[in-house]
């Protein structure tokens, strides 16, 4: 399978390492022979139709901060030109999420689907702003659009709800979908001020470059959009979510919750009336949803099977790379079926 990688940050590098270290078992178990034929970052590109040398690619990126130096004889072209001119089966979109215009990810995904490439996105921006129309475009072009890594990192939240609960009617769900705010709220529950907890989260590298994405609930809202479309069949985008972040959560709010045997958590919720909200909410300490630190958790309530909670790490390079690999294996399976 020929792959174009858009972006070569932590997740894409982890994915490339994963492919490199799993070459043999991916072929023997899944018949999967992935070849990265094109990659670009903000400073340059590398491409080779016979497949790039992944060890060399990762080494060059570490040394020079870009893939540009992979082979000096490669003519430097734009990401758009790579997508337009290099033949590939799958495009993997890993550039940073933004919720203003979702670019450049949006254009990458649209161009690839028009070229009949399957797409795996870990970039939430395009899905948050245009999930319904991107799905229509995928159907129109008869390609698959997958995005397991956008919600829950490596924790298979979307798979669980879509596949393990197949045949069930999910009535509602609520989840902690942003690890950074969970970490800050956990620290506050242990006595830290908001400012100190934020500083600590920043020092550990948890906070997005644009802190507003975490603190004002945009990241959690983007994940809620994806869940609502994929799991509940709602055709919604970011403006449909009522959202409130954690900036106004005070030490008093946290203490009051503790008096009630609860903790304040930033909860993304789809209730029984299918109202979609992101907001700080008191959750009972003994509720399985009430996880601490950077963990994510989500409880699905279904018509017949009751409530189940899935808990796991919601971010991280190798974790998210493992979700990309799951999508790739799925795509390969679907292709060989037809
Ligand atoms: N900023 C996100 C979080 C990263 O803290 O959960 C994963 O989407």
């Amino acid at each position: 399978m020929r792959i174009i990688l858009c972006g070569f940050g932590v997740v894409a590098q982890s994915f490339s390492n994963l492919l490199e270290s799993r070459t043999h078992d991916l072929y023997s178990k899944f018949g999967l022979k992935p070849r990265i034929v094109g990659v670009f970052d903000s400073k340059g590109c590398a491409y080779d139709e016979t497949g790039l040398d992944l060890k060399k690619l990762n080494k060059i990126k570490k040394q020079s901060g870009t893939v540009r130096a992979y082979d000096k004889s490669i003519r430097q072209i734009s990401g758009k030109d790579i997508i337009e001119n290099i033949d590939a089966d799958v495009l993997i979109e890993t550039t940073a999420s933004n919720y203003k215009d979702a670019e450049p990810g949006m254009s990458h995904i649209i161009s690839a689907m028009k070229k009949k490439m399957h797409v795996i996105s870990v970039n939430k921006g395009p899905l948050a702003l245009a999930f319904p129309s991107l799905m229509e475009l995928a159907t129109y072009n008869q390609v698959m659009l997958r995005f397991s890594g956008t919600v829950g990192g490596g924790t298979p939240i979307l798979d669980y709800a879509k596949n393990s609960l197949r045949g069930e009617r999910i009535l509602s769900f609520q989840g902690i979908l942003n690890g950074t705010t969970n970490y800050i709220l956990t620290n506050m529950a242990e006595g830290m001020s908001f400012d100190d907890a934020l500083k600590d989260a920043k020092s550990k590298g948890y906070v997005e470059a644009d802190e507003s994405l975490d603190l004002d609930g945009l990241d959690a809202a983007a994940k809620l959009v994806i869940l609502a479309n994929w799991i509940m069949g709602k055709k919604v985008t970011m403006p449909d979510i009522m959202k409130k972040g954690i900036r106004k959560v005070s030490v008093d709010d946290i203490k009051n919750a503790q008096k009630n045997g609860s903790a304040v958590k930033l909860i993304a919720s789809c209730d029984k009336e299918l109202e979609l909200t992101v907001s700080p909410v008191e959750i009972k300490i003994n509720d399985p949803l009430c996880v601490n630190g950077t963990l994510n958790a989500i409880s699905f309530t279904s018509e017949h099977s009751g409530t189940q909670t899935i808990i796991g790490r919601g971010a991280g390079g190798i974790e998210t790379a493992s979700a990309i690999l799951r999508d790739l294996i799925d795509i390969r399976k679907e292709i060989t079926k037809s």
Side-chain angles (χ1 to χ4, degrees):
M1 264 177 138
R2 295 159 303 173
I3 297 169
I4 291 175
L5 261 180
C6 308
F8 204 56
V10 178
V11 171
Q13 288 172 61
S14 301
F15 177 67
S16 157
N17 277 328
L18 194 57
L19 290 189
E20 221 260 308
S21 64
R22 299 274 307 273
T23 312
H24 296 297
D25 86 297
L26 285 179
Y27 186 61
S28 62
K29 281 194 188 137
F30 308 105
L32 194 62
K33 241 185 175 171
R35 255 188 299 151
I36 297 187
V37 293
V39 59
F40 55 90
D41 58 28
S42 57
K43 297 196 187 95
C45 67
Y47 49 90
D48 179 346
E49 287 187 8
T50 63
L52 294 161
D53 174 341
L54 301 183
K55 239 190 201 140
K56 181 174 165 191
L57 192 66
N58 280 305
K59 197 169 153 204
I60 289 291
K61 176 78 181 184
K62 280 222 162 65
Q63 281 170 354
S64 64
T66 169
V67 296
R68 188 186 180 102
Y70 176 84
D71 179 347
K72 298 226 162 66
S73 69
I74 290 177
R75 191 166 66 88
Q76 289 299 305
I77 55 175
S78 68
K80 185 173 171 278
D81 284 339
I82 292 207
I83 299 169
E84 294 297 333
N85 297 310
I86 293 181
D87 279 333
D89 306 294
V90 181
L91 176 120
I92 303 181
E93 165 52 39
T94 74
T95 65
S97 305
N98 91 69
Y99 304 108
K100 293 189 179 90
D101 59 8
E103 292 296 354
M106 186 79 94
S107 297
H108 297 157
I109 293 176
I110 292 173
S111 307
M113 291 202 293
K114 285 187 176 162
K115 266 199 76 191
K116 311 283 180 206
M117 275 182 232
H118 305 290
V119 171
I120 298 171
S121 182
V122 290
N123 177 350
K124 297 173 284 269
L127 297 160
L129 297 194
F131 193 107
S133 44
L134 288 176
M135 271 300 163
E136 265 175 37
L137 192 64
T139 308
Y140 179 78
N141 286 291
Q142 296 179 310
V143 294
M144 286 169 260
L145 170 59
R146 295 294 161 105
F147 37 84
S148 295
T150 56
V151 182
T155 308
I157 290 176
L158 295 171
D159 264 10
Y160 178 76
K162 189 84 172 173
N163 300 319
S164 301
L165 287 175
R166 65 194 172 281
E168 256 291 13
R169 200 157 71 90
I170 297 173
L171 303 173
S172 64
F173 62 82
Q174 48 175 190
I176 297 172
L177 302 178
N178 180 270
T180 304
T181 47
N182 200 28
Y183 183 79
I184 292 171
L185 293 170
T186 303
N187 273 349
M188 287 174 76
E190 284 162 11
M192 259 192 211
S193 68
F194 174 81
D195 288 343
D196 286 346
L198 175 58
K199 215 184 276 167
D200 181 39
K202 278 187 180 167
S203 76
K204 296 214 158 68
Y206 296 149
V207 186
E208 298 273 350
D210 174 0
E211 65 181 34
S212 164
L213 302 190
D214 291 317
L215 302 182
D216 298 318
L218 282 105
D219 174 73
K223 291 164 179 165
L224 183 56
V225 167
I226 294 167
L227 278 159
N229 278 277
W230 190 236
I231 308 303
M232 309 303 271
K234 292 201 75 173
K235 291 200 186 312
V236 291
T237 59
M238 203 70 156
D240 298 307
I241 309 293
M242 279 188 292
K243 64 179 179 305
K244 202 160 107 191
I246 64 158
R247 287 190 208 260
K248 293 208 170 105
V249 175
S250 67
V251 172
D252 280 348
D253 294 331
I254 303 237
K255 281 190 183 142
N256 284 336
Q258 285 170 336
K259 275 184 210 145
N260 301 331
S262 301
V264 177
K265 299 289 181 189
L266 186 69
I267 297 293
S269 157
C270 173
D271 67 15
K272 292 209 165 98
E273 280 72 47
L274 304 186
E275 283 280 309
L276 302 171
T277 52
V278 171
S279 169
V281 170
E282 282 190 21
I283 296 285
K284 289 284 175 208
I285 295 281
N286 60 4
D287 187 318
L289 189 61
C290 195
V291 294
N292 287 327
T294 56
L295 280 177
N296 281 199
I298 186 161
S299 295
F300 292 103
T301 300
S302 312
E303 193 169 19
H304 303 298
S305 52
T307 299
Q308 292 126 13
T309 304
I310 172 162
I311 298 170
R313 289 202 292 267
I318 194 63
E319 291 84 349
T320 310
S322 78
I324 298 179
L325 186 57
R326 280 204 304 273
D327 284 345
L328 196 63
I329 291 169
D330 269 1
I331 289 175
R332 154 89 200 168
K333 252 194 213 154
E334 289 297 321
I335 292 174
T336 46
K337 251 192 231 163
S338 50

